[in-house]
């Protein structure tokens, strides 16, 4: 694994644990708010999209022009944002249901999930298996 690839792989969990550490700063401080918001908007989703990237590229737009490349990037950005917000909502709902909700616990839960996703290998971009053809229709006249 190349060092640049490893750095990009570990960036979302690093930002997550920095956001957890930033909660020790005074409330409403920009140094506290910035890493927390950045992590909640992009951290968990970026880790999951990295795991799924080869499978996403398999079904992406044709890359013979700039539109295909740009649409894939836009798709990954939107998917990253939606997955991150969804993970935060599901994590908050689970903690609320357990009666243990707090902002710090949610950040720790999301940082741990992001670290786990960053440690997962990427999915392969295999083609879907060919389906068997349907059986021939029976003739109703015989």
């Amino acid at each position: 694994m190349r060092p640049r690839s490893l750095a990009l792989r570990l960036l979302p969990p690093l930002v997550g644990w920095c956001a957890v550490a930033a909660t020790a700063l005074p409330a409403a401080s920009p140094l506290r708010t910035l890493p927390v918001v950045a992590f909640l908007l992009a951290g968990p989703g970026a880790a999951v999209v990295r795991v799924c990237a080869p499978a996403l590229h398999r079904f992406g737009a044709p890359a013979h022009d700039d539109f295909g490349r740009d649409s894939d990037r836009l798709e990954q950005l939107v998917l990253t944002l939606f997955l991150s917000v969804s993970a935060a909502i599901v994590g908050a709902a689970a903690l609320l249901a357990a009666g243990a909700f707090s902002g710090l616990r949610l950040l720790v839960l999301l940082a741990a999930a992001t670290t786990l996703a960053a440690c997962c290998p990427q999915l392969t971009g295999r083609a879907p298996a060919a389906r068997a053809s349907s059986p021939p229709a029976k003739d109703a006249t015989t």
Side-chain angles (χ1 to χ4, degrees), residues 21-48:
T23 58
L25 296 172
S29 166
L31 293 176
R32 178 180 181 167
T33 306
L34 210 58
V36 170
V37 170
F39 175 67
L40 289 177
L41 285 179
V48 172

Side-chain angles (χ1 to χ4, degrees), residues 3-124:
R4 182 172 187 240
S5 172
L6 183 62
L8 288 176
R9 185 178 191 170
L10 296 179
L11 185 63
L14 179 67
V15 173
W17 293 112
C18 286
V20 170
T23 58
L25 296 172
S29 166
L31 293 176
R32 178 180 181 167
T33 306
L34 210 58
V36 170
V37 170
F39 175 67
L40 289 177
L41 285 179
V48 172
V49 167
R50 187 210 55 85
V51 170
C52 299
L56 292 174
H57 288 301
R58 170 78 175 105
F59 299 105
H64 66 276
D65 59 356
D66 290 339
F67 175 76
R69 185 186 70 236
D70 293 341
S71 67
D72 284 345
R73 288 180 183 164
L74 183 61
E75 175 188 346
Q76 288 182 356
L77 175 68
V78 171
L79 190 59
T80 297
L81 291 173
F82 284 145
L83 285 174
S84 294
V85 172
S86 298
I89 291 170
V90 168
L95 288 173
L96 280 170
F101 179 79
S102 74
L104 181 60
R105 287 184 184 145
L106 178 63
L107 278 175
V108 168
L109 177 70
L110 290 175
T114 303
T115 303
L116 182 66
C119 293
C120 291
Q122 288 186 327
L123 297 176
T124 60

